[in-house]
Amino acid sequence: MKINSIFCLAVLILMQSVASGQQRSSSVEVDYNEPHEYVVGGVKVSGNRAFAEQQILNQAGLRTGMKVTVPGDDISSVVNRLWMQRYFQDVAVYIDSIAPTRDTAFFCLEIEERPRVSMWSFSGVKSGEKKDLTERLNYRRGSAFSEYVSKTSVDIIKRYYQGKGFMNVKVEPQVKKDTVVKNAIRVNFAVDRGDKVKIKTINFIGNENVSDYKLAKSMKKTKSAKYYNFFKSKKFNEKEYLNDKKSLISAFNESGYRDARLLKDSIYYVVPGKRLGIDFTFDEGKQYYFRDVTWTGNSVYSSELLNSVLQIGKGDVYDVVTMEKRLNGGGKQGDMDVSKLYRDNGYLFFNVQPVELNVAGDSVDVEMRIVEGKQATLNNIIINGNDLTNERVVRRQIFTKPGYLFSQTDFERSIREIASLGQFDPEAITDPAKGYSIIPDQRDNTVDIVYNVTEKPSSQLELSGGWGGKTFVATVGVSFNNFSTHRFFEKGAWRPVPLGDAQNLSFRFQTSGTYYTAISASFMEPWLFGKKPTSLSISAYYSRQTNSYLAWNILNNDRQFEVYGISMGLGNRLKWPDNYFVLYNQLSWQTYRLNNWFSNSFIFDDGVSHNISYTLGLSRNSTDQQIYPRQGSDLSFSVQLTPPFSLFRHKDRGNLDDAGNPMHVGNYRDINYDNWSAQDRYRWIEYHKWSFKGSLYTKLVGNLVLMTRAQFGYLGYYNRKWGYSPFEGFIVGGDGMSGYNNYGSEVIALRGYENYSLTPYLPTTYSSNGYAYAGNVYDKFTVELRYPVVMQPQSTIFALLFLEGGNCWSDIRDFNPFKIKRSAGVGVRVYLPVIGLLGIDWGYGFDDKENGKGQFHFLIGQQF
């Protein structure tokens, strides 16, 4: 019911009555043409159901003992206050009775409550959209429904769909009486999205010196259907359109046109209701140049040093956009700017303001006015959201420590370290809106930093089956990536295992029955003793293969290949050249036991070989996160060495004296190993193995990332007559997966080719097959274009295009880095915290007609 006027509502149904049990006067007359002041003797409420009487009286403001004038503004205010609550669809105030003294009146508040909503619903929307709309509207059952609620809801729903490009969306609120619930209604919002409105053409008029492409590129969300916007959304968003119009002027300013103006913009339909055309008309003005750049207020750094950071000289184009980036940041990661120069030295309250002192002709004099302020000291470092992970795990990773001077570089590095830790959502911590807060206090020159981390599942359970080597392999594995030995004896910590210290404990078991069995276990402590970034890793494994091969109907196991191994390593974070470098040392022992083995993987069939090696590795990882890095690099170099046993030998077991003993030789070079048995020759294997892997991640546009990678490996020997090691070589080609762990060889993926097909296959006198793989040198080059589809803590999915090339040689003298086998293809990666990384690729090999063709490749838990 609508009110024509507050006054009319106040006196609409005022009436006089005498209550039988409370009659104050047998005959009451009220002249409403002459206002009269009364004392409120009492107020009763009628018609209320959901609201208590006292609650309504408090909202109305009509209290016993107060004086009111009838008719007058006092009663009008009572009605108005109740109407403003929007809970009532009818409100009336009238005098119930008047005291005999005629100075006291008893009032009645008669209300009619709005019906309550028993159910909210949507029609014409998708299930995911329904969830989003419900969260935005935030309505509950039992709330009131009014014209205000209806209009507000329609506006919210329209804005939601217009943000998705449905500019012509229609929303109709449908209200039906609930036949089950008393005084209740059901509200349904019928949505007709219509066609999505996309931009087809954008025309720029008046830009004689700034290209259309540069102007189009400057708009981040408003894109036409040009070929260079293939990966961009073409939907029209009015809010983003207003921001992009400002970006157009910035594009002119970047080219020195400081007076550029947008004269007008026109939006029209090219295809009615579906496709838009947009015209922009500009006045460029003239181009300006820098003349004199001066500094004032700088006492910490000289003007010469600041100019070297600013990199603007006399005669340069007057580019205010780049000038702003070099003053206050906003450029590429790693670029230095004046603000960062100061903030890295604690000057958090630093401010610089460029002022145009003089504009003469086409030249501009600029003065940089600096307020350095005082250095800020870190006060409180607060970590929120670590419900599972121990706080000290986060604190030892960050570079911002209480009592230290604030440093922008240290703060950015701390964000990167938390994102790379693996226990928290990397997207959430890098979000400036909710991932962190910098809270300065200029009164005492301190600053608090708050890191808001979001825990994500990090432990992984693997239950899988795969096909490899023409056999089915079942795998059961578990990896606790946030294990805690510190809580090992803590009561209640075993749920199912103690967690919280970012240690890694993993177990894995694989089998295909009697043919193949493998078991492995590993433990890694990233901070040994908890004080320094020194990592400790320990691993042990055992595998066995037999000739019980169901595919060939062989059910015995008289032929076996067994591997035992254990390793221990220490890694140390370095301070030089920078603290991204890690030096790694590892000692390992392996025993290979072959019993009448028939595989072509190794160059002999019978015997026992021991491998004792030391590995020295140097790595540098500056990527911004683990799963989907957008920028940074990952470099590693390692050398693995065994003792040079053959250099100390002076007995030739292939040349016996009359007594049957090995002949003594004066020099190790005189030993002829061709006459040695495999057991004697390879009892203690020797080699030096060199490896290099380098990956570079470059953020192109938005989340589109270019990944480039180069790899090289070389297995060398100490003694040419002893030759190459029968183990630790490279097997190149295919997906890099054998279906089961294949200790003794390093499998290198090269998509688009059959597994192992690019590995040299050479004759050997020790193998019953007469041939064996002999990959001792390889190189590989990869270029991938990646784009994320889903970036959530529960899952990360990204698609990729790749170009790849590589090859494998048996001897370093044959190595030719330009003689590679090329391939190209597409793929997708899915990372699930519980399972790990899964992927599928399709690649086509160009340079091997027999083994290179269209190939599908699957991967689990590895990167190419």
Side-chain angles (χ1 to χ4, degrees):
M1 180 181 293
K2 296 185 177 179
I3 309 173
N4 292 328
S5 69
I6 296 177
F7 176 76
C8 292
L9 276 175
V11 298
L12 179 64
I13 54 175
L14 289 175
M15 59 181 296
Q16 178 183 357
S17 64
V18 180
S20 59
Q22 301 176 355
Q23 184 171 346
R24 306 290 180 176
S25 175
S26 59
S27 178
V28 179
E29 294 183 1
V30 178
D31 187 357
Y32 292 104
N33 293 320
E34 296 183 8
H36 186 81
E37 186 178 71
Y38 295 99
V39 175
V40 179
V43 184
K44 68 177 181 180
V45 179
S46 64
N48 57 309
R49 294 177 179 175
F51 294 92
E53 179 175 326
Q54 189 59 47
Q55 188 177 4
I56 294 174
L57 292 176
N58 291 337
Q59 293 173 350
L62 191 62
R63 299 182 301 275
T64 301
M66 68 182 294
K67 294 181 178 181
V68 296
T69 300
V70 179
D73 293 339
D74 297 330
I75 300 301
S76 300
S77 298
V78 170
V79 175
N80 190 42
R81 279 194 289 269
L82 291 174
W83 268 101
M84 290 295 290
Q85 302 301 318
R86 297 193 179 94
Y87 296 134
F88 314 106
Q89 62 182 8
D90 195 7
V91 178
V93 181
Y94 60 87
I95 296 177
D96 184 55
S97 63
I98 298 177
T101 58
R102 311 290 296 179
D103 62 349
T104 301
F106 296 85
F107 290 83
C108 181
L109 254 174
E110 188 174 282
I111 63 172
E112 183 179 350
E113 295 180 353
R114 294 185 184 275
R116 297 287 162 167
V117 181
S118 61
M119 186 177 70
W120 302 90
S121 62
F122 304 91
S123 59
V125 304
K126 298 179 180 179
S127 58
E129 295 171 345
K130 180 180 179 180
K131 181 180 179 182
D132 292 340
L133 291 173
T134 302
E135 291 177 353
R136 281 169 167 78
L137 295 174
N138 196 27
Y139 289 153
R140 299 178 181 178
R141 293 179 60 183
S143 57
F145 186 74
S146 63
E147 290 185 7
Y148 172 80
V149 172
S150 176
K151 183 179 182 303
T152 303
S153 302
V154 170
D155 290 342
I156 292 173
I157 296 172
K158 282 186 174 181
R159 286 198 301 270
Y160 171 77
Y161 280 103
Q162 287 169 353
K164 290 178 170 289
F166 298 96
M167 305 304 298
N168 301 316
V169 60
K170 297 177 181 179
V171 182
E172 180 186 356
Q174 299 173 340
V175 180
K176 293 183 179 180
K177 185 177 180 179
D178 195 319
T179 58
V180 178
V181 182
K182 189 176 181 180
N183 194 36
I185 59 174
R186 297 185 178 189
V187 179
N188 176 68
F189 294 100
V191 179
D192 180 8
R193 300 188 307 173
D195 294 321
K196 181 176 285 189
V197 178
K198 296 184 178 181
I199 303 170
K200 184 175 182 181
T201 61
I202 299 178
N203 301 311
F204 302 103
I205 304 167
N207 54 312
E208 298 178 359
N209 299 291
V210 180
S211 68
D212 289 358
Y213 175 76
K214 183 173 183 177
L215 292 174
K217 186 180 178 181
S218 69
M219 296 190 294
K220 303 303 181 184
K221 298 294 184 180
T222 308
K223 301 294 182 180
S224 66
K226 292 284 188 179
Y227 68 91
Y228 46 74
N229 293 324
F230 182 79
F231 294 102
K232 300 296 182 62
S233 172
K234 317 302 186 303
K235 69 181 181 182
F236 179 79
N237 185 304
E238 187 174 358
K239 181 179 178 181
E240 297 296 343
Y241 175 72
L242 297 176
N243 294 330
D244 282 338
K245 286 201 295 184
K246 299 177 183 179
S247 299
L248 288 172
I249 300 302
S250 296
F252 282 100
N253 297 156
E254 195 172 358
S255 298
Y257 296 92
R258 66 185 288 272
D259 300 330
R261 294 180 302 145
L262 176 61
L263 298 179
K264 67 176 182 178
D265 60 302
S266 304
I267 304 175
Y268 52 91
Y269 278 109
V270 178
V271 179
K274 293 184 178 181
R275 298 292 181 267
L276 289 177
I278 304 177
D279 293 342
F280 294 103
T281 303
F282 300 99
D283 176 15
E284 279 187 340
K286 64 180 180 180
Q287 192 175 30
Y288 289 81
Y289 302 89
F290 282 102
R291 189 166 63 181
D292 295 328
V293 178
T294 56
W295 302 82
T296 61
N298 54 307
S299 61
V300 178
Y301 299 106
S302 66
S303 298
E304 290 76 13
L305 177 60
L306 296 177
N307 278 327
S308 67
V309 176
L310 188 63
Q311 300 180 34
I312 293 177
K314 190 173 184 179
D316 289 350
V317 171
Y318 188 64
D319 179 0
V320 294
V321 176
T322 301
M323 178 181 68
E324 179 64 24
K325 290 179 180 178
R326 293 175 183 172
L327 286 175
N328 294 307
K332 296 180 179 179
Q333 186 186 36
D335 289 351
M336 180 57 71
D337 56 77
V338 175
S339 176
K340 190 173 184 180
L341 179 69
Y342 272 91
R343 288 161 73 95
D344 276 352
N345 197 17
Y347 291 92
L348 178 62
F349 310 109
F350 162 86
N351 182 44
V352 57
Q353 185 67 38
V355 178
E356 295 180 351
L357 289 183
N358 184 32
V359 180
D362 62 354
S363 300
V364 182
D365 295 334
V366 180
E367 182 179 76
M368 307 297 179
R369 296 178 180 175
I370 290 178
V371 178
E372 292 178 333
K374 295 184 178 181
Q375 290 174 301
T377 303
L378 294 171
N379 186 22
N380 297 312
I381 308 299
I382 303 169
I383 300 167
N384 295 324
N386 55 313
D387 302 324
L388 178 62
T389 305
N390 196 302
E391 185 171 313
R392 69 172 180 271
V393 172
V394 184
R395 290 196 177 277
R396 70 193 186 190
Q397 293 292 127
I398 60 179
F399 287 72
T400 50
K401 309 290 184 181
Y404 285 30
L405 286 177
F406 176 83
S407 168
Q408 182 70 25
T409 298
D410 287 348
F411 169 71
E412 293 174 357
R413 177 66 184 278
S414 299
I415 294 294
R416 181 258 176 196
E417 290 296 322
I418 295 174
S420 301
L421 192 58
Q423 316 304 328
F424 308 109
D425 179 15
E427 298 299 318
I429 189 64
T430 55
D431 184 357
K434 54 185 179 182
Y436 53 83
S437 300
I438 299 177
I439 308 172
D441 188 346
Q442 203 162 358
R443 295 171 301 177
D444 56 3
N445 299 311
T446 60
V447 57
D448 296 341
I449 298 180
V450 180
Y451 297 103
N452 299 311
V453 300
T454 303
E455 295 269 9
K456 70 172 186 177
S458 57
S459 298
Q460 299 173 3
L461 174 65
E462 182 181 1
L463 297 171
S464 64
W467 186 263
K470 297 182 180 180
T471 185
F472 181 82
V473 180
T475 302
V476 178
V478 61
S479 179
F480 302 104
N481 297 319
N482 199 6
F483 190 72
S484 174
T485 55
H486 182 75
R487 302 180 61 201
F488 202 84
F489 299 102
E490 182 179 320
K491 185 178 180 180
W494 289 84
R495 296 182 299 177
V497 295
L499 300 173
D501 284 347
Q503 299 167 340
N504 177 271
L505 178 66
S506 63
F507 301 94
R508 200 164 189 257
F509 175 75
Q510 289 182 296
T511 185
S512 64
T514 58
Y515 171 67
Y516 174 74
T517 301
I519 186 170
S520 63
S522 65
F523 173 79
M524 194 272 289
E525 164 59 74
W527 283 64
L528 190 60
F529 308 121
K531 295 183 178 180
K532 293 184 178 181
T534 299
S535 63
L536 168 67
S537 60
I538 302 173
S539 64
Y541 49 87
Y542 166 77
S543 72
R544 185 188 67 173
Q545 289 178 244
T546 71
N547 63 327
S548 179
Y549 209 5
L550 185 62
W552 293 345
N553 200 28
I554 301 175
L555 302 180
N556 54 16
N557 56 1
D558 57 329
R559 298 183 177 187
Q560 294 185 357
F561 168 51
E562 295 177 290
V563 180
Y564 309 82
I566 187 170
S567 64
M568 179 180 293
L570 287 174
N572 295 278
R573 181 190 293 170
L574 305 180
K575 296 182 179 179
W576 184 89
D578 62 36
N579 54 18
Y580 286 106
F581 279 90
V582 174
L583 184 66
Y584 187 75
N585 300 268
Q586 177 178 285
L587 284 174
S588 63
W589 163 77
Q590 288 175 312
T591 293
Y592 304 95
R593 189 183 303 274
L594 290 79
N595 180 19
N596 195 25
W597 191 241
F598 60 95
S599 170
N600 53 6
S601 298
F602 311 114
I603 61 178
F604 69 98
D605 296 340
D606 279 288
V608 177
S609 293
H610 302 286
N611 178 11
I612 298 177
S613 65
Y614 165 73
T615 301
L616 177 65
L618 183 66
S619 63
R620 184 184 189 274
N621 187 342
S622 62
T623 56
D624 56 345
Q625 57 172 282
Q626 292 180 342
I627 306 303
Y628 188 78
R630 295 177 176 86
Q631 52 197 1
S633 61
D634 186 2
L635 308 173
S636 65
F637 171 79
S638 67
V639 56
Q640 185 176 358
L641 307 171
T642 66
F645 299 106
S646 67
L647 303 186
F648 306 118
R649 291 196 181 106
H650 293 283
K651 291 184 178 181
D652 187 351
R653 294 185 178 274
N655 188 10
L656 305 179
D657 57 17
D658 295 338
N661 297 317
M663 294 287 293
H664 186 275
V665 295
N667 192 297
Y668 69 88
R669 294 186 179 90
D670 297 331
I671 298 177
N672 183 5
Y673 289 97
D674 293 338
N675 298 324
W676 285 41
S677 66
Q679 175 62 65
D680 290 335
R681 184 171 182 174
Y682 299 121
R683 181 182 300 275
W684 295 96
I685 63 174
E686 59 180 56
Y687 59 86
H688 51 91
K689 185 177 183 179
W690 306 77
S691 297
F692 170 79
K693 296 180 182 179
S695 300
L696 178 65
Y697 300 89
T698 305
K699 186 177 181 180
L700 299 179
V701 179
N703 287 323
L704 185 65
V705 174
L706 178 69
M707 189 280 292
T708 55
R709 178 181 292 141
Q711 296 177 231
F712 171 79
Y714 168 55
L715 181 70
Y717 50 75
Y718 300 110
N719 183 348
R720 176 172 290 277
K721 289 190 175 182
W722 188 87
Y724 288 103
S725 168
F727 303 103
E728 299 301 321
F730 308 102
I731 300 179
V732 180
D735 52 24
M737 297 176 63
S738 62
Y740 46 84
N741 288 334
N742 190 9
Y743 297 110
S745 300
E746 184 175 346
V747 182
I748 308 297
L750 208 158
R751 292 164 285 187
Y753 296 92
E754 293 280 358
N755 285 356
Y756 314 159
S757 61
L758 303 183
T759 310
Y761 196 54
L762 301 180
T764 173
T765 59
Y766 294 121
S767 173
S768 58
N769 290 340
Y771 287 85
Y773 288 121
N776 298 311
V777 188
Y778 88 96
D779 64 1
K780 177 184 171 183
F781 307 95
T782 305
V783 177
E784 283 186 359
L785 195 63
R786 301 177 170 184
Y787 191 80
V789 179
V790 176
M791 299 290 286
Q792 299 292 337
Q794 297 81 9
S795 63
T796 300
I797 304 174
F798 63 90
L800 59 90
L801 302 173
F802 70 84
L803 297 174
E804 203 157 68
N807 210 343
C808 186
W809 297 265
S810 62
D811 195 284
I812 188 65
R813 292 171 295 184
D814 300 326
F815 173 67
N816 184 349
F818 303 104
K819 187 179 180 181
I820 60 175
K821 306 295 185 181
R822 300 165 298 171
S823 66
V826 298
V828 65
R829 298 289 181 273
V830 178
Y831 178 81
L832 302 174
V834 177
I835 299 175
L837 187 68
L838 306 174
I840 181 173
D841 293 299
W842 180 86
Y844 187 87
F846 298 106
D847 298 316
D848 191 326
K849 294 182 179 179
E850 294 183 3
N851 300 303
K853 54 183 180 180
Q855 302 275 346
F856 279 101
H857 303 288
F858 299 90
L859 67 99
I860 300 175
Q862 69 180 52
Q863 288 276 18
F864 283 102

